[in-house]
Amino acid sequence: MGSGTSTQHHFAFQNAEKAFRAAALIQRWYRRYVARLEMRRRCTWSIFQSIEYAGQQDQVKLHNFFSYLVDHFTPSSHNERDFLNRMFTEEQPPQASEMQNSGDYESIEVPDSYTGPRLAFPLLPDHATALVEAFRRKQRLHARYVLNLLHEARKHLVQLPNINRVSTCYSEEITVCGDLHGQLDDLIFIFYKNGLPSPERAYVFNGDFVDRGKDSVEILMVLFAFMLVYPKEFHLNRGNHEDHIVNLRYGFTKEVMHKYKIHGKKILKLLQDVFCWLPLATLVDEKVLILHGGVSDRTDLELLAKLDRHKIVSTMRYKTRKENKKQAEEKGNANQTGSAGRPSPWFLPQSRSLPSSPLRPSTHKTHRAGRSSSVPCGVPLDPKELSRRVRHSVDLELERCRQQAGFPAIKEKEEPSSSESEVDSDAEEPPQPTPEEWRQVVDILWSDPMAQEGCRANTVRGGGCYFGPNVTEQLLQKYNLQFLIRSHECKPEGYEFCHSRKVLTIFSASNYYEVGSNRGAYVKLGPDLTPHIMQFQANKATHTLTMRQRISRVEESALRALREKLFAHSSDILVEFKKHDKDETGLITLSDWAAAVESVLHLGLPWRMLRPQLVSSLTDNKLAYKSWLENLAKEKLSQQNIQSSLLETLYRNRSNLETIFRIIDSDHSGSISLDEFRHTWKLFSSHMNIDITDDCICDLARSIDFNKDGHIDINEFLEAFRLVEQSCSGADVSDCP
Amino acid sequence: MADDRDRDGTEIAVAEFHKKIKEAFEVFDHESNNTVDVREVGTIIRSLGCCPSEGELHDLIAEVEEEEPTGYIRFEKFLPVMTEVLLERRYRPIPEDILLRAFEVLDPAKRGFLSKDELIKYMTEEGEPFSQEEMEEMLSAAIDPESNSVLYKDYITMMVIDEN
C-alpha cells in the first residue's frame, strides 16, 4: 500500500503497455511487408499470363500470314516458286494405308546395346509400371517401341466414343488430372502420392499432355501404356495442345525431333493421327462432365457425341485449295487460276480441309460474330498494295475482335459460301467437318469461364469463348448435370472453383511459369461425386524457401521476360516517349512512362506497381528514357554481333520465326538454307509491316549462319537468344546487368 | 499566386494518386467489375505505401463499405477515401530505427535477440495478435535455426533490403 508498491505497479503497468505497443508496432510493420509481397506476387502472375496470352495472339497473326500466302502470293520468280513448293509440299502425302502398315516399326531394329525399356504387346500392368520407373531414371524409349505403342494406342482409341462414360460403381474413386504440359515430374508425383492406375483406381487426364515442358514424349508413352493396360479405368480427353500445328510453336515437335533424330518424322506423322482420335470429353455417372477448355451457349452434347472427331485434325485454321478454286471461279479472277495448280501446304493434311477459323464461324450472325479475313483480290496488285491491304484486313480483324467484347451484334461481311458448298459438292474426298461441328469442338477445347453473365468470343486466345455463370447453369440443366471439370488455365493453387462451385478448374503442372510460381492439383471423386482436391508442388527446392524467396525467384523470371518484351519493342517505345517529351529534355515523368509503355505493349499490366523493378534511377522524379532503353539493349547485345534494331525485330518475332522455321524445314533436318530464310523473312516482314531492307535481310541471314556453311541451324539460332537467360537463371541475380 | 501553384500542384498530385489507386485496385478486381473482395482491401492499401494498424484498417473499411456490407468494396467509394489518405500522408511507414527500438523494448536485457518462444508469445498474445499462419510465416524467415532465436537487428536489415 505504500508508495513503493504503487510505483512498482505503475512501472509494471508502463512496461506492459510499452510491450503491448512495441508488439503492435512490429505486427503493423510485418503485415505491411506481407501485403507488399502479395502485391508483387499478383503482379508477377499478371506478367506471366499476359505474356502467355500475347503469344497466343501471335499465333493468330501467323495463321493469317499463312492464309495470305496460300490465298494470294504469286511468286515472281522461278526460285520463289520452287521455294514455295518446297514449303508447301512434303515428299509423300500420308495415305490411310500407311498408318496401318505395321512395316512402319517392325523394320526398325533395336540394337543389342540398347539398355532402355522394351515393350511387348499386349502390354501388361507390370510393363506400364516398369515404363514409369525407366523414365524416372531418365531412360529413353526406343523409336520402334514408341511407334509400336502409338499404333496400339491408335487401334484402341478408334473404338472409343467421343464422350467417354465412366461410372463410380466399378472404380470407387476417380482421379481427374489437368494439364501436364510435358512435366513428367508432376505425373510421377501424382502416381506416387495418389497411387498407380488400377481397376480400383480410375484416372481421367484432361488434355494438354504435351508442349512447353521437356518430357512430353515420355508423358504420352506412360499415359497410352496405362490406357492400353486398363482400358476401362484409364481415360484421356483431348486438349487444345493435342494438335500438330500448335505443337510446331510450343515445343513438342522440337522435342520429338531432338530425341528421335532418325524416326522423329514418322513419330510425328503418327501422332498427328493419334491426336485426332482422342476422345473429346468424359462423363462421370452421367452427372459430372469433364472436358479440357469449357463450353459455350451453343454447346450441344448430342452433336458432339455423334460427329466424326477424326475429321478435326487441328483447331487452327487454314483455307484449302478447294476454297481458293471456288473463290477464284466465282470472282472470275484470271490471276488466281495459276494458284489452283499449286500443291496444298504439307502441314495441312492432304485429304482434309478445315473450313473455318476458331475466330470465324463462317455463316451465321451470332453475337460472337467473326469476320472475313481474306482480301478480295480482283486484279493483280503490286506486292506493296497487296501487303498493305492484307495488313489492313488483319488489323481490322483483330480490332473487331476487341470491339466485340462490348458489342452484342456485329454486322458480318458475308463470306462466299465456298466452305459450305464444298462440303456437299465433292464426293471424292472424305467428309469434312461442318462449320457447326467445327465450332462445337473448338468451343470445348478453347473456352474459358468468366465471372460476368453471357457468352462472348475469347479474343485473348483467339478461339472458343468466354462463358458466364448463366451459360454453365443452362448447360447443366439441359443435360441434368451437377458440375463441370475443366483445365486449360494455370491457377496459383492448382485449382479454382467458379460459377458458384459449378465449374472446377484443375491444373496439374506445378511451377508452370517458373519454379515456385504455382501449385499443381488433382481432384478425386467418390460415388457421392464430392470433389476432393489434392495439391502439390513437384520441386523439393521450393519447400525450403521462404515465401519471400519463392516470390523473388518467380518475380525475377517474370521481370526478365518483361524486360525482353520491352526491348523487343524499343523503337516503338522510343517514339511514344518522344511524344511525351516535346521539349526534347530527354526526360519524362513516370506517369508518361507508364502510359507510353502500355500503349505499345498492350499487356494491361500495373506499370506503376512494377516501376521500381523496371526503372532504377531517376533524376528529379523523372526518367532519362534514352539511357533506360540502352540499358535494356545492353542485356541482349553483349551476346550478339547483330545490329540493335535487327535484334529487336528478331526478339519481337522470335516465337513466330521459330514456328515458320519448323514449317520450312519440312524434312525436319534441323536446318534451312539462307535463301529459304531470306525468302520467308521477306514475305513475313512485309506482311507484318516490318520495315527492313533487302540488304538488312541478307546481313541478318549471314550473321545467323554461325558456321558459315550456307545453312541456318534452327536450334543454334534459337539457342543464341536463350544464352542471356541461361547465364542469368542459375547465377546470382546481381551478376546480371 | 502561391495558392494557384499549390492548387495546380495538388491537382497533379491527385491525378497521379488516382492512377496509382486505380492500378492497385485493378490487380484485385478479378471480375473486372470495379469491385474487390473486402478481405483484399488491406493488401491494396498497404501496397500503396500506407502502414495502418488493424484497428485503423477496420475503420477505413467501414468508411468504404456499403451501408449493407456485401463483402465487396466498390471502386467509386474506395477512390475518394484512399485519395484523402494519400494526400494527408496518413499511416506512414515505420522508420527502421523506430522498429529497432520496438524490438529492444521486448528485449530489456539487451541480448540482441528474442528467443523463438518469446517472439511467439509477444506476437500472438500482445498488440494485435497474429494468426497462426502469420506467425508461422514470420518464423520461417526470422528464426536463425542454429540459435533458435531471432537476431532482430539482422532480421530488420534483411527485410528492409528486400523491400528496396
Side-chain angles (χ1 to χ4, degrees), chain A residues 627-644:
Chain A
S627 62
W628 180 73
L629 284 169
E630 274 160 23
N631 279 333
L632 280 178
K634 272 201 201 104
E635 282 177 36
K636 308 291 172 196
L637 277 175
S638 55
Q639 306 289 336
Q640 313 296 333
N641 286 325
I642 304 177
Q643 192 200 22
S644 173

Side-chain angles (χ1 to χ4, degrees), chain A residues 686-699:
Chain A
S686 86
H687 174 71
M688 298 295 278
N689 195 18
I690 300 166
D691 199 7
I692 197 160
T693 64
D694 266 2
D695 280 346
C696 268
I697 296 173
C698 287
D699 283 343

Side-chain angles (χ1 to χ4, degrees), chain A residues 22-54:
Chain A
L25 197 123
I26 294 170
Q27 288 151 346
R28 178 158 70 102
W29 161 80
Y30 185 77
R31 283 174 172 132
R32 176 167 179 256
Y33 173 80
V34 167
R36 292 180 64 175
L37 269 186
E38 176 62 19
M39 179 58 95
R40 279 165 62 187
R41 195 181 69 75
R42 298 290 180 118
C43 289
T44 301
W45 192 260
S46 299
I47 295 176
F48 278 129
Q49 293 233 290
S50 64
I51 290 183
E52 173 174 12
Y53 294 145

Side-chain angles (χ1 to χ4, degrees), chain A residues 549-661:
Chain A
Q549 287 167 320
R550 272 200 306 277
I551 291 177
S552 297
R553 196 169 166 169
V554 184
E555 188 182 40
E556 195 40 52
S557 180
L559 290 171
R560 226 179 298 134
L562 189 53
R563 281 199 293 267
E564 183 182 296
K565 258 228 170 312
L566 287 165
F567 165 71
H569 292 86
S570 314
S571 309
D572 289 341
I573 292 177
L574 184 61
V575 165
E576 285 300 309
F577 283 164
K578 285 191 171 152
K579 284 187 196 162
H580 290 279
D581 180 28
K582 293 274 160 62
D583 297 338
E584 291 182 18
T585 60
L587 301 169
I588 50 168
T589 65
L590 292 174
S591 186
D592 290 339
W593 170 85
V597 163
E598 175 60 23
S599 73
V600 172
L601 291 189
H602 298 299
L603 290 175
L605 290 174
W607 294 104
R608 283 172 188 76
M609 293 275 133
L610 295 169
R611 199 271 312 156
Q613 325 275 25
L614 294 169
V615 176
S616 45
S617 61
L618 299 169
T619 330
D620 283 335
N621 246 8
K622 287 195 170 191
L623 169 67
Y625 53 86
K626 282 216 183 92
S627 62
W628 180 73
L629 284 169
E630 274 160 23
N631 279 333
L632 280 178
K634 272 201 201 104
E635 282 177 36
K636 308 291 172 196
L637 277 175
S638 55
Q639 306 289 336
Q640 313 296 333
N641 286 325
I642 304 177
Q643 192 200 22
S644 173
S645 65
L646 267 183
L647 195 65
E648 184 190 321
T649 307
L650 282 175
Y651 264 101
R652 192 161 60 241
N653 296 284
R654 177 174 65 174
S655 161
N656 278 336
L657 267 181
E658 178 171 0
T659 312
I660 292 175
F661 278 158

Side-chain angles (χ1 to χ4, degrees), chain A residues 20 22-23 25 27-33 35-36 39 42 451-452 547-548 591 606-609, chain B residues 16 19 23 30-31 40 43 47 50-51 53-54 99 102 123 126-129 134 137-138 159 162-163:
Chain A
F20 185 94
L25 197 123
Q27 288 151 346
R28 178 158 70 102
W29 161 80
Y30 185 77
R31 283 174 172 132
R32 176 167 179 256
Y33 173 80
R36 292 180 64 175
M39 179 58 95
R42 298 290 180 118
Q452 298 89 339
M547 174 172 69
R548 172 187 76 85
S591 186
W607 294 104
R608 283 172 188 76
M609 293 275 133
Chain B
E16 191 51 34
K19 286 190 205 145
E23 220 184 50
H30 304 302
E31 301 179 14
E40 320 241 59
T43 308
S47 59
C50 301
C51 197
S53 68
E54 291 289 284
L99 188 58
M123 293 294 104
E126 301 284 351
E128 294 173 316
E134 283 175 312
E137 184 44 55
M138 185 187 211
M159 300 283 264
D162 184 53
E163 290 268 86

Side-chain angles (χ1 to χ4, degrees), chain A residues 228-248:
Chain A
L228 291 172
V229 167
Y230 296 117
K232 293 211 203 60
E233 295 86 14
F234 199 88
H235 305 276
L236 302 176
N237 289 342
R238 191 176 185 184
N240 60 305
H241 277 262
E242 275 69 58
D243 181 324
H244 70 288
I245 293 181
V246 175
N247 298 151
L248 278 169

